[in-house]
Amino acid sequence: MDIYIDEEVREQVKLLLARTGDTMGEAIGIRFTSFAKDEVRAVMPVDGRTVQPFGLLHGGASVALAETLASVGAWLQVDPETQSAVGVEINANHLRPARSGQQVEGTARPLHIGRQTQVWEIKIRDGEDRLVCVARCTLAVVKRREE
């Protein structure tokens, strides 16, 4: 699968992709498809890793996809040498089911980019482009700690 990476964020995305192994996103099958300052996209399967017992997309999986997209989008806005972006609040409305065997696509776009906080809107759609979930995530911009 090809990934679109806007030239403006190319070097930062290389840093990110080098760190995405052995993460929750990898465990539930999130695959990034597009990176830009004003939009981040990823797909996620609706399968045994992401469904509830009745074969429908688990709301927690939708929220995990939403926060992953918002966090990456927020991180692309900061100086990765000195800052990080961390989630402080997320809310989600689950609008329709996605069923096992499908794939959903999440798109995150910024609503507010400030010096100390960012707010991102995330829309998750099914394979027929129907809105499954809409979420809003607030992130704090913090000084990066030494590792």
Side-chain angles (χ1 to χ4, degrees):
M1 166 185 268
D2 288 334
I3 300 175
Y4 169 77
I5 304 173
D6 188 78
E7 188 62 38
E8 185 178 12
V9 296
R10 188 168 303 276
E11 292 306 311
Q12 205 162 341
V13 169
K14 285 181 187 177
L15 292 172
L16 172 74
L17 293 177
R19 304 181 92 171
T20 57
D22 200 26
T23 63
M24 180 182 185
E26 180 182 62
I28 63 175
I30 294 174
R31 288 188 340 253
F32 290 98
T33 59
S34 179
F35 295 93
K37 277 247 190 211
D38 62 349
E39 182 181 274
V40 179
R41 290 178 180 249
V43 293
M44 181 178 71
V46 182
D47 63 15
R49 297 169 289 179
T50 59
V51 296
Q52 38 91 315
F54 302 102
L56 303 176
L57 179 62
H58 193 291
S62 294
V63 171
L65 174 59
E67 186 156 352
T68 298
L69 287 165
S71 294
V72 168
W75 183 74
L76 292 175
Q77 304 290 327
V78 302
D79 175 358
E81 298 288 322
T82 61
Q83 297 174 307
S84 291
V86 295
V88 295
E89 191 273 339
I90 188 165
N91 67 64
N93 294 100
H94 307 289
L95 305 173
R96 73 175 316 110
R99 301 189 187 293
S100 189
Q102 295 181 313
Q103 175 175 275
V104 292
E105 179 182 42
T107 303
R109 293 186 177 109
L111 297 174
H112 168 74
I113 304 296
R115 288 182 300 120
Q116 296 180 327
T117 62
Q118 296 184 30
V119 179
W120 286 72
E121 178 183 63
I122 307 91
K123 292 183 178 177
I124 300 172
R125 297 181 179 278
D126 66 13
E128 296 178 37
D129 201 35
R130 296 177 299 189
L131 199 55
V132 170
C133 177
V134 62
R136 188 179 64 240
C137 185
T138 302
L139 301 106
V141 176
V142 297
K143 184 177 178 183
R144 187 169 175 261
R145 288 184 163 185
E146 296 300 318
E147 293 181 23

